[in-house]
Amino acid sequence: MLLKMESPAWILISNRTRKKERKYMINIPTDVFANILCRLPVKSLKRFQCVCKSWYELIKNPNFIIQHLHQYSNNKNVSENCLLFTYTTPCCCHPTHLEPADHVNSLYAYNIEEDVSLHLLDLPYRDEKLYLDIFGPCNGMYCLDHLRSIMLVNVALREFQVLPELSIQPHPCSMKTVGFGFDPKTNDYKVVLIVNCTCNEAQTLCFPLQVLVYSSSCNSWRKADDTVPSSVDVSIIKSSINTYVKGNFHWLAANFVPGDVTAYYRVLCFSMFDEVLHEMRLPSCLTIVQDSDSTFYELASYNGSLSLIVSPCKPQEQWFDVWVKQDYDDDDSWTKLLSIRLVAGFFKPMGFWRDGQFLLEDCSGQLVLYNPSTHNIKKNLCFYGLDKYFSQTIFYSESLVSVIDRG
């Protein structure tokens, strides 16, 4: 891809010898120069924007942003090095000047390989206990769902945008479920909000299920209720792991039998392309669970495929299975890929890591890296010298895609 600049890319080269330092300028073709820059992290590129006007225009060029996204941001060796997490700090321990009752909630990246944490962005929330769900990454962007608001965030650019309030207020007893993804046809980032209300003992919908879609290009919400299948009458179970796969966001859905512990499970999918909510079947042996209090289901993305993690709810039972949907369009292609028997002291899987390793939560609530082949615990994951509990395992990713003024 050829990127045009008003002037050639001139670089100052310093060549130091024992006697003197020689400086000279070299001219690099624009496409070669762009190919070099697109392999650099966002922090470096933000600094390079200040070098000269031509560098600024190159880095801000939409074609370069796309090239950087493919070359750097989607490189798994880079993007899957770190986990993204929130951390709450009392105001007395934070450098900013805040009121005595305030707390600072920040986003941090934790590099598992290097065992270091990096402060990324302070959030506009002052809760002592932050109840926050993070969705993503999607091209270096995240969706943050707070009790009071939803926002889009690019932590590398230190940008966030609070989504506008809903024009239609849900019923007070309703539950909201959020999804986040990207429509490449329209270059649009979308947030889907499913609102359902199961306020009776039979766990059936008291009000029709509502689907609302936010478009970043329009910066507005719209209703999409006509995309809801008539058969959808379920309780939706959100996942703590990213479930955005092949342009669709996924939730686990369950029908509970009144007065019984039997549950009937399936998958709800929302397409970011045509904005249609549809259903998928689970493996027949997992569709009906006689004792829903004994088994824990969680959807996840495994090497780009939709997967299902099955584990016991009781901590004394040390096992979990991983099912993978080999053909996304074929509900009969579910295959049990792994069956892991854990050593004592572990509770449930929290995510996938490299080389067949897993991120697990142990019985004390801490996150560890576990190798099932060797039963080796690589390390306990700690932050600032203190143990840190992870409610979600979200990979840190960065890009030059701005969340501001996308219209």
Side-chain angles (χ1 to χ4, degrees):
M1 181 183 299
L2 181 61
L3 301 174
K4 296 182 179 179
M5 299 170 59
E6 292 184 357
S7 59
W10 291 92
I11 298 182
L12 178 65
I13 303 296
S14 177
N15 182 20
R16 293 188 177 183
T17 64
R18 291 183 179 181
K19 296 182 178 181
K20 60 181 179 179
E21 179 180 13
R22 295 180 178 178
K23 296 182 179 180
Y24 52 93
M25 303 291 291
I26 62 172
N27 182 11
I28 299 179
T30 302
D31 55 342
V32 175
F33 183 60
N35 192 39
I36 295 172
L37 289 187
C38 72
R39 302 172 190 275
L40 300 179
V42 171
K43 183 177 180 180
S44 299
L45 294 176
K46 289 179 67 176
R47 289 161 47 199
F48 291 164
Q49 287 179 178
C50 304
V51 172
C52 63
K53 181 181 178 181
S54 60
W55 287 30
Y56 176 87
E57 292 177 348
L58 170 64
I59 295 171
K60 285 290 188 178
N61 188 301
N63 290 331
F64 177 80
I65 293 174
I66 295 174
Q67 187 176 358
H68 178 265
L69 186 65
H70 292 299
Q71 290 285 348
Y72 181 85
S73 303
N74 291 337
N75 184 348
K76 289 189 176 182
N77 292 328
V78 175
S79 62
E80 295 189 358
N81 264 338
C82 302
L83 297 176
L84 185 71
F85 69 96
T86 57
Y87 199 80
T88 302
T89 309
C91 61
C92 59
C93 302
H94 198 273
T96 59
H97 179 70
L98 298 169
E99 295 296 326
D102 283 345
H103 288 72
V104 179
N105 289 290
S106 306
L107 289 175
Y108 284 78
Y110 176 72
N111 190 309
I112 291 182
E113 302 296 333
E114 299 178 6
D115 195 22
V116 294
S117 301
L118 173 66
H119 173 266
L120 299 172
L121 177 70
D122 292 333
L123 300 173
Y125 304 126
R126 297 291 180 256
D127 309 62
E128 181 177 357
K129 293 183 178 179
L130 183 64
Y131 298 95
L132 183 72
D133 288 323
I134 304 176
F135 301 90
C138 182
N139 294 341
M141 293 175 58
Y142 298 86
C143 176
L144 275 57
D145 178 25
H146 187 259
L147 293 175
R148 296 188 297 271
S149 63
I150 302 175
M151 67 169 59
L152 295 181
V153 179
N154 184 320
V155 290
L157 293 178
R158 298 179 179 243
E159 293 181 353
F160 63 84
Q161 178 170 324
V162 179
L163 272 56
E165 294 185 1
L166 299 174
S167 57
I168 301 174
Q169 292 301 320
H171 190 274
C173 71
S174 61
M175 301 291 291
K176 69 175 184 179
T177 306
V178 175
F180 174 55
F182 176 65
D183 182 357
K185 293 182 180 179
T186 58
N187 192 32
D188 197 5
Y189 293 87
K190 298 178 180 179
V191 178
V192 56
L193 181 64
I194 300 178
V195 181
N196 65 332
C197 182
T198 54
C199 54
N200 53 21
E201 293 182 358
Q203 293 291 307
T204 56
L205 293 178
C206 302
F207 301 94
L209 186 145
Q210 290 183 311
V211 178
L212 302 170
V213 179
Y214 168 82
S215 166
S216 64
S217 61
C218 302
N219 191 31
S220 62
W221 292 91
R222 62 179 179 274
K223 290 184 66 175
D225 290 351
D226 56 342
T227 67
V228 181
S230 58
S231 60
V232 174
D233 181 10
V234 294
S235 296
I236 300 175
I237 305 170
K238 62 185 179 183
S239 176
S240 62
I241 309 174
N242 186 24
T243 60
Y244 178 65
V245 178
K246 299 187 182 301
N248 293 266
F249 197 91
H250 304 81
W251 303 269
L252 191 65
N255 283 105
F256 296 97
V257 178
D260 196 355
V261 291
T262 303
Y264 298 84
Y265 288 97
R266 57 187 183 274
V267 178
L268 282 184
C269 320
F270 184 84
S271 170
M272 297 295 167
F273 306 106
D274 50 22
E275 299 184 0
V276 172
L277 189 70
H278 59 283
E279 299 178 354
M280 284 183 175
R281 288 186 289 107
L282 289 174
S284 56
C285 61
L286 301 177
T287 301
I288 301 175
V289 178
Q290 299 297 333
D291 184 2
S292 58
D293 293 332
S294 65
T295 307
F296 179 78
Y297 283 8
E298 183 147 40
L299 293 174
S301 173
Y302 180 79
N303 290 336
S305 298
L306 184 65
S307 66
L308 177 70
I309 302 174
V310 183
S311 60
C313 292
K314 300 177 181 179
Q316 60 268 28
E317 298 184 33
Q318 309 292 328
W319 62 270
F320 69 90
D321 297 332
V322 178
W323 291 74
V324 175
K325 196 174 187 185
Q326 304 286 0
D327 183 349
Y328 184 81
D329 297 319
D330 183 5
D331 286 349
D332 294 323
S333 65
W334 285 98
T335 304
K336 185 190 287 189
L337 183 67
L338 298 168
S339 186
I340 306 297
R341 296 297 177 261
L342 300 174
V343 296
F346 296 104
F347 182 33
K348 68 175 183 178
M350 294 291 290
F352 303 107
W353 195 246
R354 298 173 180 169
D355 303 323
Q357 299 180 90
F358 293 89
L359 293 164
L360 301 178
E361 178 190 340
D362 66 13
C363 293
S364 63
Q366 305 305 308
L367 195 69
V368 299
L369 191 60
Y370 177 70
N371 188 324
S373 301
T374 62
H375 300 292
N376 180 47
I377 303 172
K378 188 168 185 180
K379 61 176 69 176
N380 289 296
L381 307 184
C382 302
F383 309 85
Y384 312 105
L386 300 174
D387 292 336
K388 169 67 183 176
Y389 173 75
F390 264 93
S391 59
Q392 294 179 270
T393 53
I394 304 296
F395 285 113
Y396 170 68
S397 178
E398 59 182 48
S399 75
L400 294 168
V401 179
S402 176
V403 301
I404 302 174
D405 298 329
R406 292 192 51 81

